[in-house]
Amino acid sequence: MSWSAGEQARRLHGLVRIGRVTAVDPGRARARVSLGGAAETAWLPWTGGRAGGIREWAPVTVGEQVVVLSPGGETGQGVIAGSLFSAAHAAPSNDGAAHRLELGGSSITMTGDAITLESNGSTLTLDAAGIRLNGARIDLN
């Protein structure tokens, strides 16, 4: 194989890679990713759901499995394009009609029929039947 063919193959292989986050710098919105073996990327930006007038902030975390897209196959120019569920970080639901957001002991679940907020044993549910609030203690002001 000639040098140019080898270089082309290397770049093609580097266009889309799957790896695990090894370090996060939330102040700069950058992370490093292990692409297997000894290969670790430079500090790469991650994508947000929105980044204009409406912005979402959901930093990647160490150990998260991610997809790295690299223009021209150069991982130094890459961007973390999304995450993949894994054995270490399984999907938070198996309901195809639900939208669920989890953070530690708290979650928000939205379906076509209800919105449920859960946090450390307390629950607020809004649906056609009304509003239900359950918790060890409820303070009304």
Side-chain angles (χ1 to χ4, degrees):
M1 180 181 299
S2 70
W3 178 86
S4 62
E7 177 65 6
Q8 183 179 20
R10 182 192 69 77
R11 286 178 174 249
L12 184 60
H13 175 71
L15 286 173
V16 180
R17 303 283 304 269
I18 295 173
R20 292 210 182 274
V21 174
T22 57
V24 179
D25 183 346
R28 292 179 43 231
R30 301 283 188 273
R32 288 186 184 271
V33 178
S34 171
L35 299 173
E40 185 177 63
T41 66
W43 290 100
L44 303 177
W46 60 80
T47 59
R50 298 289 303 273
I54 297 172
R55 293 181 295 277
E56 292 180 26
W57 177 246
V60 296
T61 57
V62 171
E64 187 171 346
Q65 186 171 286
V66 296
V67 176
V68 175
L69 300 179
S70 303
E74 296 295 332
T75 56
Q77 302 298 315
V79 62
I80 299 168
S83 300
L84 302 169
F85 295 116
S86 65
H89 302 282
S93 175
N94 61 3
D95 181 349
H99 181 93
R100 184 173 174 106
L101 175 65
E102 276 190 358
L103 179 62
S106 299
S107 68
I108 301 170
T109 304
M110 293 182 284
T111 65
D113 299 322
I115 298 172
T116 302
L117 307 172
E118 297 177 75
S119 185
N120 301 299
S122 295
T123 305
L124 171 65
T125 302
L126 299 102
D127 59 19
I131 299 171
R132 290 178 303 289
L133 178 61
N134 294 311
R137 189 176 109 200
I138 298 172
D139 295 325
L140 300 175
N141 294 328

